[in-house]
């Protein structure tokens, strides 16, 4: 594997950057040959072609990065940083790609890695409400996790609003008995709670307290098969314990 050899990894990423630059010049040259479209249409067509290519490259890099996410070896850490640095440079060069890649989606296990190592991820704040409002349950689950990690990294009033919207989406999943989504989203609740333990925009209720109420709602409002119920209860108990240990008891937030 190329990424198990640092020198080869560096060469591959340099070649990839060169390829992107050369291909963009080539696309520009080919598109400019067209005599049937005005300049605005040509620019739009070129943008679509370049963004499609670059988003595909980022998706491939994310797939390569996935095995290194839960590996704490020095090589894995170096690979994560190298890939994330490359993605950051691509995002900064063209911020539209940040939205495009996230609306395409990727493995949720990569979210924390990107938020921690790609400074350009702060751009997600601009369109996360739109992502949280998508009709597809899997997309909404992905958006809830992203909102939690982005808010934890950048704990601002703006991201606190995102957390409140994400909490609303979790409540909706509980009300509709969407067990698959709940299993994805419940683990982010302690992170949301510890980020905003004392503040809350929804009827002035602290986020930590809201998180506990959501867990109680999930526990009593969902109907599951025995095996599924055991899995869900385990996640609820773990999340509740984490909130109690990290926020409520230590911070003195009343429930």
């Amino acid at each position: 594997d190329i990424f198990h050899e640092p020198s080869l990894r560096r060469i591959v990423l340099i070649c990839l950057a060169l390829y992107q630059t050369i291909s963009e010049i080539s696309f520009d040259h080919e598109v400019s040959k067209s005599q049937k479209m005005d300049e605005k249409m040509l620019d739009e067509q070129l943008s679509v072609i370049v963004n499609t290519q670059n988003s595909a490259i980022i998706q491939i890099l994310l797939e390569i990065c996935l095995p290194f996410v839960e590996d704490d070896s020095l090589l894995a850490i170096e690979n994560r940083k190298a890939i994330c640095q490359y993605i950051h440079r691509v995002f900064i060069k063209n911020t539209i790609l940040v939205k495009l890649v996230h609306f395409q989606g990727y493995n949720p296990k990569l979210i924390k890695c990107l938020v921690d190592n790609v400074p350009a991820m702060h751009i997600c704040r601009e369109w996360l409400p739109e992502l949280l409002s998508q009709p597809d349950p899997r997309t909404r689950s992905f958006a809830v996790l992203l909102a939690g990690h982005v808010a934890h990294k950048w704990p601002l009033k703006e991201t606190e609003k995102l957390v409140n919207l994400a909490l609303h989406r979790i409540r909706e999943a509980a009300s509709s008995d969407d067990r698959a989504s709940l299993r994805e989203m419940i683990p982010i609740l302690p992170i949301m709670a510890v980020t905003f333990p004392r503040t809350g925009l929804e009827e002035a209720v602290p986020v930590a307290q809201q998180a506990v109420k959501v867990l109680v709602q999930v526990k009593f409002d969902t109907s599951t098969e025995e095996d599924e119920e055991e899995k869900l209860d385990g996640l609820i108990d773990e999340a509740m314990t984490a909130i109690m240990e990290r926020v409520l008891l230590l911070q003195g937030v009343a429930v």
Side-chain angles (χ1 to χ4, degrees):
D1 192 310
I2 291 173
F3 278 78
H4 283 82
E5 176 53 55
S7 58
L8 290 178
R9 178 192 66 219
R10 287 192 292 272
I11 293 171
V12 166
L13 292 178
I14 290 171
C15 290
L16 183 58
L18 289 172
Y19 167 77
Q20 285 185 268
T21 300
I22 293 170
S23 63
E24 288 177 22
I25 294 172
S26 176
F27 290 147
D28 186 24
H29 178 68
E30 290 299 320
V31 170
S32 64
K33 289 181 180 179
S34 175
Q35 303 296 323
K36 299 179 181 180
M37 292 183 288
D38 60 27
E39 186 175 348
K40 182 179 179 181
M41 292 182 66
L42 288 172
D43 288 342
E44 289 176 354
Q45 185 178 36
L46 177 62
S47 177
V48 169
I49 294 171
V50 172
N51 288 340
T52 300
Q53 173 190 267
N54 289 342
S55 65
I57 288 172
I58 291 174
Q59 291 289 0
I60 291 170
L61 288 173
L62 291 174
E63 289 182 17
I64 293 171
C65 188
L66 184 59
F68 304 124
V69 169
E70 297 178 347
D71 186 347
D72 291 329
S73 68
L74 180 60
L75 179 62
I77 293 171
E78 289 177 348
N79 281 330
R80 287 200 302 268
K81 289 183 177 179
I83 291 172
C84 286
Q85 286 171 359
Y86 189 96
I87 291 174
H88 172 67
R89 289 194 294 269
V90 176
F91 279 169
I92 288 297
K93 185 178 179 181
N94 184 0
T95 57
I96 293 175
L97 283 171
V98 185
K99 182 175 182 179
L100 178 57
V101 168
H102 285 85
F103 272 73
Q104 291 172 343
Y106 50 83
N107 193 309
K109 292 181 180 179
L110 288 160
I111 292 175
K112 185 178 186 302
C113 176
L114 262 66
V115 171
D116 287 345
N117 297 288
V118 179
M121 288 289 287
H122 74 88
I123 297 169
C124 296
R125 294 176 297 168
E126 299 174 5
W127 41 257
L128 254 170
E130 183 182 353
L131 191 63
L132 283 162
S133 300
Q134 295 301 299
D136 178 56
R138 291 186 65 182
T139 302
R140 286 201 302 270
S141 297
F142 177 85
V144 166
L145 299 178
L146 180 61
H149 285 295
V150 167
H152 189 63
K153 181 74 172 180
W154 295 283
L156 308 168
K157 187 61 69 175
E158 179 185 3
T159 52
E160 188 177 355
K161 292 178 181 179
L162 294 175
V163 164
N164 278 274
L165 180 55
L167 286 168
H168 182 63
R169 292 291 174 256
I170 299 176
R171 292 190 200 97
E172 288 180 339
S175 298
S176 62
D177 203 19
D178 185 353
R179 298 184 294 273
S181 295
L182 289 170
R183 285 196 299 272
E184 289 281 339
M185 296 186 290
I186 284 174
I188 199 66
L189 284 170
I191 294 175
M192 292 178 175
V194 78
T195 304
F196 302 108
R198 294 184 180 276
T199 59
L201 302 176
E202 187 169 309
E203 299 177 355
V205 178
V207 171
Q209 190 170 340
Q210 289 185 57
V212 171
K213 289 183 177 180
V214 168
L215 289 171
V216 172
Q217 178 187 352
V218 172
K219 194 172 185 69
F220 291 103
D221 286 4
T222 54
S223 57
T224 61
E225 299 293 334
E226 186 174 347
D227 290 345
E228 292 295 324
E229 183 177 358
E230 185 176 344
K231 292 177 183 177
L232 201 56
D233 281 348
L235 288 172
I236 293 170
D237 292 342
E238 287 178 12
M240 190 78 78
T241 299
I243 293 173
M244 293 292 290
E245 289 179 349
R246 297 168 62 182
V247 180
L248 301 182
L249 294 180
L250 296 177
Q251 301 286 346
V253 178
V255 181

